[in-house]
Coordinates of all heavy atoms in Angstrom, one line a residue:
A20 N 81.9 -138.0 21.0 CA 82.8 -137.4 22.0 C 84.3 -137.6 21.4 O 84.5 -138.5 20.7 CB 82.7 -138.1 23.3
N21 N 85.1 -136.7 21.8 CA 86.5 -136.8 21.4 C 87.3 -137.7 22.3 O 87.1 -137.6 23.5 CB 87.2 -135.4 21.3 CG 86.6 -134.5 20.3 OD1 86.2 -134.9 19.2 ND2 86.4 -133.2 20.6
L22 N 88.2 -138.5 21.8 CA 89.1 -139.3 22.6 C 90.4 -138.5 22.6 O 91.0 -138.2 21.6 CB 89.3 -140.7 22.0 CG 88.1 -141.6 21.9 CD1 88.4 -142.9 21.2 CD2 87.5 -141.8 23.2
T23 N 90.9 -138.2 23.8 CA 92.1 -137.4 23.9 C 93.1 -138.1 24.7 O 92.8 -139.0 25.5 CB 91.8 -136.0 24.6 OG1 91.3 -136.3 25.9 CG2 90.8 -135.2 23.7
N24 N 94.4 -137.8 24.5 CA 95.5 -138.3 25.2 C 95.5 -139.9 25.2 O 95.6 -140.5 26.2 CB 95.5 -137.8 26.7 CG 96.8 -138.0 27.4 OD1 97.9 -138.2 26.7 ND2 96.9 -138.0 28.7
V25 N 95.4 -140.4 24.0 CA 95.3 -141.8 23.8 C 96.7 -142.3 23.5 O 97.4 -141.8 22.6 CB 94.3 -142.2 22.6 CG1 94.3 -143.7 22.3 CG2 92.9 -141.7 22.9
G26 N 97.1 -143.4 24.1 CA 98.4 -144.0 23.9 C 98.3 -144.7 22.5 O 98.3 -144.2 21.5
S27 N 98.2 -146.0 22.6 CA 98.1 -146.8 21.4 C 96.8 -147.5 21.3 O 96.2 -147.8 22.4 CB 99.2 -147.8 21.2 OG 99.2 -148.7 22.3
I28 N 96.2 -147.7 20.1 CA 95.0 -148.3 19.9 C 95.2 -149.5 18.9 O 95.9 -149.3 17.9 CB 93.9 -147.4 19.3 CG1 93.6 -146.2 20.3 CG2 92.6 -148.1 19.0 CD1 92.7 -145.2 19.7
Q29 N 94.7 -150.6 19.2 CA 94.8 -151.7 18.3 C 93.4 -151.9 17.6 O 92.4 -152.2 18.3 CB 95.2 -153.0 19.0 CG 96.6 -152.9 19.5 CD 97.0 -154.2 20.2 OE1 96.3 -155.2 20.3 NE2 98.3 -154.2 20.7
L30 N 93.4 -151.8 16.3 CA 92.1 -151.9 15.6 C 92.2 -152.9 14.5 O 93.3 -153.1 13.9 CB 91.8 -150.5 15.0 CG 91.6 -149.4 15.9 CD1 91.5 -148.1 15.1 CD2 90.4 -149.5 16.7
D31 N 91.1 -153.5 14.1 CA 91.0 -154.3 12.9 C 90.6 -153.5 11.7 O 91.1 -153.6 10.6 CB 90.0 -155.5 13.1 CG 90.4 -156.5 14.2 OD1 91.6 -156.7 14.3 OD2 89.5 -157.0 14.8
S32 N 89.7 -152.5 11.9 CA 89.3 -151.6 10.9 C 88.6 -150.4 11.4 O 88.2 -150.3 12.6 CB 88.3 -152.3 9.9 OG 87.5 -153.3 10.4
I33 N 88.5 -149.4 10.6 CA 87.9 -148.1 10.9 C 86.8 -147.9 9.8 O 87.2 -148.0 8.6 CB 88.9 -146.9 10.9 CG1 90.0 -147.2 11.9 CG2 88.2 -145.6 11.2 CD1 91.1 -146.2 11.8
F34 N 85.6 -147.5 10.2 CA 84.6 -147.2 9.2 C 84.1 -145.8 9.4 O 84.2 -145.3 10.5 CB 83.4 -148.2 9.4 CG 83.6 -149.6 8.9 CD1 84.1 -150.5 9.8 CD2 83.4 -150.0 7.6 CE1 84.4 -151.8 9.4 CE2 83.6 -151.3 7.2 CZ 84.1 -152.2 8.1
G35 N 83.7 -145.2 8.3 CA 83.2 -143.8 8.4 C 81.9 -143.7 9.2 O 81.1 -144.7 9.2
D36 N 81.7 -142.6 9.8 CA 80.5 -142.4 10.6 C 79.3 -142.3 9.7 O 79.2 -141.4 8.9 CB 80.7 -141.1 11.4 CG 79.5 -140.9 12.4 OD1 78.9 -141.9 12.7 OD2 79.4 -139.8 12.9
G37 N 78.4 -143.3 9.7 CA 77.3 -143.3 8.8 C 77.6 -143.8 7.4 O 76.8 -143.7 6.5
D38 N 78.8 -144.3 7.2 CA 79.2 -144.7 5.8 C 80.0 -146.0 5.9 O 81.2 -146.0 6.0 CB 80.0 -143.6 5.1 CG 80.4 -144.0 3.7 OD1 80.0 -145.0 3.2 OD2 81.1 -143.2 3.1
A39 N 79.3 -147.1 6.0 CA 79.9 -148.4 6.1 C 80.6 -148.9 4.8 O 81.4 -149.8 4.8 CB 78.9 -149.5 6.5
N40 N 80.5 -148.1 3.7 CA 81.2 -148.4 2.5 C 82.6 -147.9 2.4 O 83.3 -148.1 1.5 CB 80.4 -147.9 1.3 CG 79.1 -148.8 1.1 OD1 79.1 -149.9 1.3 ND2 78.1 -148.1 0.6
T41 N 83.0 -147.0 3.4 CA 84.3 -146.4 3.4 C 85.0 -146.9 4.7 O 84.5 -146.8 5.8 CB 84.1 -144.9 3.5 OG1 83.4 -144.5 2.3 CG2 85.5 -144.2 3.4
S42 N 86.2 -147.5 4.4 CA 86.9 -148.1 5.6 C 88.4 -148.1 5.4 O 88.9 -148.0 4.3 CB 86.4 -149.5 5.9 OG 86.7 -150.3 4.8
I43 N 89.1 -148.3 6.5 CA 90.5 -148.6 6.5 C 90.6 -149.9 7.3 O 90.2 -150.0 8.5 CB 91.3 -147.5 7.2 CG1 91.2 -146.2 6.4 CG2 92.8 -147.9 7.2 CD1 91.8 -145.0 7.1
T44 N 91.2 -150.9 6.7 CA 91.3 -152.2 7.4 C 92.8 -152.6 7.5 O 93.5 -152.5 6.6 CB 90.6 -153.3 6.5 OG1 89.2 -152.9 6.3 CG2 90.6 -154.7 7.2
F45 N 93.1 -153.1 8.7 CA 94.5 -153.6 9.0 C 94.4 -155.1 9.1 O 93.8 -155.6 10.0 CB 94.9 -153.0 10.4 CG 94.8 -151.5 10.4 CD1 93.6 -150.9 10.9 CD2 95.8 -150.6 10.0 CE1 93.5 -149.5 11.0 CE2 95.7 -149.3 10.0 CZ 94.5 -148.7 10.5
S46 N 95.1 -155.7 8.2 CA 95.1 -157.2 8.1 C 96.2 -157.7 9.1 O 97.0 -157.0 9.5 CB 95.3 -157.7 6.7 OG 96.7 -157.6 6.4
G47 N 96.1 -159.0 9.3 CA 97.2 -159.7 10.1 C 98.4 -160.0 9.3 O 99.4 -160.5 9.8

């Protein structure tokens, strides 16, 4: 499903759908 009208999101990392070898990680 699409997430719409989102304010801010705090994430540690983002992984590709079905591809755990591709990611964007935000460190502290």
Side-chain angles (χ1 to χ4, degrees):
N21 294 323
L22 299 176
T23 59
N24 198 20
V25 176
S27 61
I28 298 176
Q29 294 181 358
L30 300 171
D31 294 328
S32 30
I33 301 170
F34 289 89
D36 188 18
D38 183 4
N40 289 326
T41 303
S42 63
I43 301 172
T44 304
F45 307 92
S46 76

